[in-house]
């Protein structure tokens, strides 16, 4: 049975000031955007966090740790905002 649009609940809006931390999972050399793997975000939205090309921190490379807040795209998918490199431990 397919769910009708009424039965599908949109994901909850992320708290605007909650800072998440994750690893840069991939980065497109051609288009500049990437994805951040973050368990906390994945638990809520079931997917990795999209990282728009204009928000990739300078010098960031795959596997780097990033801190970010989350906003939802028009399709209800998590997007990174206020992205900074996490301090190296």
């Amino acid at each position: 049975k397919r769910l009708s649009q009424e039965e599908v609940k949109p994901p909850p809006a992320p708290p605007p000031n909650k800072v998440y931390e994750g690893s840069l999972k991939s980065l497109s050399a051609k288009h500049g955007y990437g994805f951040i793997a973050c368990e906390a975000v994945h638990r809520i939205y079931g997917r990795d966090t999209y990282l728009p090309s204009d928000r990739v921190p300078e010098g960031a490379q795959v596997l780097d740790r990033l801190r970010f807040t989350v906003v939802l795209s028009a399709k209800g998918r998590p997007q990174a905002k206020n992205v900074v490199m996490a301090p190296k431990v």
Side-chain angles (χ1 to χ4, degrees):
K1 178 183 167 214
R2 294 184 64 181
L3 294 175
S4 72
Q5 292 292 52
E6 291 81 47
E7 293 171 342
V8 177
K9 288 186 178 174
N17 298 321
K18 171 127 174 78
V19 176
Y20 296 91
E21 186 172 317
S23 299
L24 185 54
K25 182 177 181 178
S26 63
L27 198 55
S28 168
K30 183 176 180 182
H31 301 290
Y33 64 82
F35 287 91
I36 302 170
C38 174
E39 193 176 319
V41 174
H42 199 279
R43 214 173 307 134
I44 300 167
Y45 301 101
R47 60 179 58 236
D48 291 325
T49 305
Y50 175 70
L51 177 59
S53 59
D54 62 339
R55 296 188 186 146
V56 176
E58 192 174 326
Q61 296 179 7
V62 171
L63 300 181
D64 281 348
R65 300 291 294 171
L66 302 175
R67 287 193 177 153
F68 57 97
T69 57
V70 171
V71 294
L72 295 183
S73 70
K75 294 181 180 178
R77 296 177 177 164
Q79 274 190 18
K81 189 176 176 187
N82 304 315
V83 185
V84 295
M85 303 284 276
K88 299 213 187 294
V89 182

